[in-house]
């Protein structure tokens, strides 16, 4: 119980610090969301008299508020689920924009991350178990692929499969000429999967090598442990030694890393989403940075922070359950 209470306390303090930094850092940057929005509105046809203070309130800060009062208001708005109004898509709420982009990122990057993890762990365990065979040759080739930049892999796939062979679309999340927007139909699901294939393949190619190499090395180390030698000396079937004694224990460090990867799934893949013009969180973040949209930046960073902390907290609990030594050591 003490282990779990300490974990909860640690993550509570971390969450407070992250949210506080999320509030203060944008206010230390040059520029002002109010000034940016007013200039944008003036270019589009002028501003009605007396609306300046209303716009300030929409952006989350009255003219006469001190920094501390803005900080308290910010926390109050968070508890109400109000992340402010986007300057880029004024007057759309930030929560609405994030809500529209988040499912695309979770569906694409989340699925690709899980596929990459399962492939890497399975092939890495096999390479460690059968080291010195042809399976072991997968390590250098996949590691080389992982060293390639995301955008380069994406561009090569686009050139090969979308431009040259014309098997897959170049950009987008679905066929905008057939569908006016997301809908619940098998035709739409098929279009989404068709458009997601190349972006997902980019993620898998660029990340499977790390899981494979890490699992292979842990497998080799685990196979030299006394309990594995004892299991083999007892005459247990090789398959049982492989799955129950070797692979299960070798996968624990990778499981912790997988938890961190799941947290960063929400952040999406910035470069990949930009190259494929995929409407996820990564592309939304780049749009916010380009347009100095501080409210949208804060909202995106907050969602990413919450996702990472939640994933780390969950993996701490699971890891403590799977490996009791962690609880006693802590």
């Amino acid at each position: 119980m003490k282990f779990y209470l300490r974990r909860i306390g640690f993550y509570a303090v971390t969450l407070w610090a992250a949210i506080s930094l999320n509030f203060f850092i944008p206010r230390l940057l040059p520029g002002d969301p109010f000034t940016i929005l007013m200039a944008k509105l003036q270019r589009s046809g002028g501003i009605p008299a007396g609306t300046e203070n209303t716009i300030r309130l929409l952006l989350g800060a009255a003219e006469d508020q001190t920094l501390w009062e803005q900080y308290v208001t910010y926390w109050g708005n968070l508890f109400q689920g109000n992340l402010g109004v986007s300057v880029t898509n004024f007057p759309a709420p930030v929560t609405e924009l994030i809500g529209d982009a988040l499912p695309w990122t979770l569906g694409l990057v989340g699925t690709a991350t899980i596929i990459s993890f399962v492939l890497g762990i399975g092939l890495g365990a096999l390479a460690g178990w059968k080291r010195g065979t042809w399976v072991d040759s997968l390590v250098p080739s996949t590691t080389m692929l992982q060293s390639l930049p995301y955008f380069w892999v994406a561009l090569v796939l686009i050139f090969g499969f979308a431009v040259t062979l014309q098997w897959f679309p170049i950009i987008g999340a679905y066929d905008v000429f057939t569908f006016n927007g997301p809908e619940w139909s098998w035709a739409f699901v098929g279009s989404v999967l068709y458009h997601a294939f190349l972006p997902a393949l980019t993620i898998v190619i660029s990340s499977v090598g790390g899981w494979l190499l890490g699992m292979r090395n842990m497998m080799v180390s685990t196979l030299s442990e006394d309990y594995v030698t004892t299991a083999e000396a007892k005459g247990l079937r090789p398959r049982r030694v492989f799955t129950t004694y070797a692979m299960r224990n070798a996968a624990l460090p990778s499981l912790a890393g997988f938890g961190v990867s799941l947290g960063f799934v929400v952040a999406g893949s910035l470069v990949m989403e930009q190259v494929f013009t995929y409407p996820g969180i990564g592309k939304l973040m780049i749009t916010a940075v380009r347009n100095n949209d501080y409210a949208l930046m804060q909202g995106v960073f907050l969602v990413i922070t919450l996702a990472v902390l939640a994933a780390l907290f969950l993996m701490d609990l699971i890891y403590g359950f799977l490996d009791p030594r962690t609880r006693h050591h802590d």
Side-chain angles (χ1 to χ4, degrees):
M1 182 59 68
K2 290 182 179 179
F3 167 79
Y4 294 115
L5 290 176
R6 281 196 293 267
R7 293 288 89 189
I8 291 172
F10 170 77
Y11 282 106
V13 173
T14 306
L15 179 61
W16 166 79
I19 292 176
S20 298
L21 287 173
N22 194 40
F23 169 81
F24 286 110
I25 289 178
R27 284 159 177 78
L28 299 176
L29 296 174
D32 174 24
F34 173 74
T35 306
I36 295 170
L37 180 57
M38 293 296 286
K40 182 178 178 181
L41 292 176
Q42 285 175 347
R43 287 195 301 269
S44 61
I47 306 168
T51 59
E52 289 85 353
N53 196 49
T54 303
I55 294 175
R56 283 188 182 275
L57 291 173
L58 282 174
L59 295 176
E63 188 173 5
D64 56 347
Q65 273 190 326
T66 64
L67 187 62
W68 170 252
E69 289 172 336
Q70 292 179 33
Y71 180 66
V72 173
T73 303
Y74 177 70
W75 273 98
N77 290 335
L78 283 183
F79 284 117
Q80 296 174 16
N82 179 15
L83 299 180
V85 176
S86 170
V87 173
T88 308
N89 300 278
F90 185 82
V94 170
T95 50
E96 181 181 314
L97 297 175
I98 294 177
D100 291 339
L102 191 57
W104 294 107
T105 293
L106 290 178
L108 173 65
V109 185
T111 303
T113 301
I114 293 173
I115 292 173
S116 176
F117 175 75
V118 172
L119 278 176
I121 293 300
L123 293 175
L126 194 61
W129 180 257
K130 296 183 177 295
R131 58 188 181 278
T133 64
W134 68 270
V135 184
D136 221 6
S137 63
L138 292 173
V139 176
S141 57
T142 54
T143 304
M144 183 199 70
L145 290 175
Q146 188 189 17
S147 66
L148 300 175
Y150 262 85
F151 72 90
W152 191 85
V153 175
L155 291 174
V156 169
L157 291 178
I158 288 174
F159 178 76
F161 293 100
V163 177
T164 305
L165 298 176
Q166 297 184 357
W167 289 354
F168 297 97
I170 299 176
I171 61 172
Y174 57 89
D175 188 356
V176 295
F177 298 105
T178 305
F179 305 97
N180 294 324
E183 62 179 53
W184 292 105
S185 67
W186 288 113
F188 181 76
V189 171
S191 179
V192 169
L193 294 176
Y194 179 56
H195 282 73
F197 182 82
L198 286 185
L201 185 60
T202 301
I203 296 173
V204 171
I205 289 176
S206 301
S207 59
V208 71
W211 298 118
L212 196 153
L213 178 62
M215 184 63 184
R216 188 263 182 196
N217 291 340
M218 284 303 303
M219 194 71 176
V220 171
S221 176
T222 303
L223 288 173
S224 64
E225 295 289 342
D226 293 338
Y227 57 84
V228 177
T229 306
T230 303
E232 291 173 335
K234 285 182 177 180
L236 297 179
R237 289 179 299 176
R239 183 177 179 181
R240 186 180 177 187
V241 175
F242 171 70
T243 56
T244 307
Y245 290 87
M247 185 176 178
R248 180 180 177 182
N249 291 284
L252 285 175
S254 296
L255 189 63
F258 179 61
V260 178
S261 297
L262 284 181
F264 280 103
V265 160
V266 176
S269 177
L270 298 178
V271 176
M272 183 276 298
E273 290 186 1
Q274 187 68 13
V275 170
F276 288 97
T277 318
Y278 205 80
I281 290 291
K283 191 171 186 302
L284 189 65
M285 185 189 302
I286 292 177
T287 302
V289 172
R290 282 180 173 175
N291 293 281
N292 293 325
D293 194 338
Y294 296 128
L296 187 55
M297 274 190 280
Q298 280 183 298
V300 172
F301 291 149
L302 177 64
V303 170
I304 293 172
T305 301
L306 291 175
V308 172
L309 290 179
L312 289 175
F313 177 64
L314 184 61
M315 293 312 301
D316 261 359
L317 299 184
I318 295 175
Y319 204 86
F321 176 76
L322 294 176
D323 190 355
R325 295 173 298 177
T326 306
R327 299 197 301 268
H328 296 308
H329 176 73
D330 189 80

